[in-house]
Amino acid sequence: METPKIIVPPLLFVRDLLLGKEVAKSSRKLSDLKNLFLDQKSYEAMDPETLLYEVYSYIPVQDDAANGALNFGITHIYPGKVGQEYFMTKGHFHAQDDRTEYYWGIEGEGVLILMDRKRNIRGEKMFPGSLHYIPGGVAHRVANTGNKVLSFAACWPSDAGHDYEEIARTGFSARLMDVDGIPQLI
Ligand code: PAN
Ligand code: ZN
């Protein structure tokens, strides 16, 4: 038997940062969320290069069918609005409908929008320390309602997959809008 070793893990989660050689980063700009915001006029008037959010993810098993593996990610959503609608993630159902997920708030404030297959919708406030269980068959999207970056972590099964099509086609049944300074699902 080899001498057992104690190592420094290759992954660090410090405040709202996910650090490590194997961490992948992806960014979404306004142009990536075409037709997802209500106010088309305001959308067209904005710079399509505007950065909406970034995702840092760690995918330990590079196999979409990896039964039992878990992915981990941190999302940073920038503050802002398109018209009266807050900057938000695209939102998705998991391709494997029964796959669940945890989200938890790290910095900033926002709302997690959850919609089931019958299009029943509800919101959960996100703030540092808020913990959110996303059941299977529930589409999830996050909107930043504050004036600084909203950061949250996520942990989901590696074989969940992301179905963005359904949301692109039929949208969520309500939007998170600023109504006289108050975030409301309408
Ligand atoms: C998250 C999301 C991330 C970005 O890691 O993928 O917050 O949101 P969109 O994927 O909707 O653009 C997750 O829910 N993974 O399953
Ligand atoms: Zn998800």
Side-chain angles (χ1 to χ4, degrees):
M1 191 183 106
E2 278 180 42
T3 312
K5 282 187 274 198
I6 296 174
I7 62 155
V8 176
L11 202 61
L12 290 176
F13 173 25
V14 186
R15 291 181 298 276
D16 66 346
L17 299 175
L18 186 60
L19 307 166
K21 235 178 36 230
E22 291 171 56
V23 173
K25 180 186 173 188
S26 64
S27 306
R28 297 278 187 225
K29 299 177 291 187
L30 196 58
S31 57
D32 296 313
L33 274 79
K34 204 167 171 7
N35 298 323
L36 291 187
F37 290 97
L38 177 67
D39 186 342
Q40 276 305 311
K41 219 169 169 182
S42 299
Y43 180 90
E44 301 292 340
M46 290 171 73
D47 181 354
E49 292 295 309
T50 306
L51 186 59
L52 295 190
Y53 61 99
E54 295 163 321
V55 185
Y56 294 81
S57 47
Y58 176 61
I59 301 183
V61 183
Q62 300 285 343
D63 175 2
D64 288 351
N67 203 330
L70 291 172
N71 294 347
F72 186 87
I74 307 271
T75 302
H76 297 162
I77 309 180
Y78 290 91
K81 283 180 282 191
V82 176
Q84 291 306 106
E85 192 171 8
Y86 300 98
F87 282 5
M88 62 187 182
T89 58
K90 285 176 128 181
H92 57 270
F93 284 99
H94 287 156
Q96 294 231 50
D97 208 42
D98 62 353
R99 296 306 193 257
T100 59
E101 183 161 7
Y102 277 107
Y103 274 8
W104 61 101
I106 303 171
E107 285 290 345
E109 53 191 84
V111 174
L112 167 61
I113 304 158
L114 298 164
M115 181 184 75
D116 68 19
R117 291 278 179 192
K118 291 181 179 151
R119 299 184 65 74
N120 295 310
I121 199 160
R122 66 194 170 86
E124 292 185 3
K125 284 193 178 186
M126 294 187 97
F127 48 88
S130 66
L131 179 64
H132 313 267
Y133 177 70
I134 303 167
V138 171
H140 38 291
R141 162 181 282 168
V142 175
N144 182 348
T145 57
N147 47 27
K148 57 179 189 172
V149 175
L150 166 65
S151 302
F152 64 93
C155 185
W156 70 100
S158 302
D159 63 355
H162 296 92
D163 173 10
Y164 295 103
E165 293 285 297
E166 178 80 24
I167 296 302
R169 240 174 358 97
T170 56
F172 279 70
S173 51
R175 298 168 174 281
L176 199 75
M177 310 291 286
D178 174 337
V179 182
D180 301 327
I182 314 242
Q184 282 186 27
L185 270 176
I186 49 177

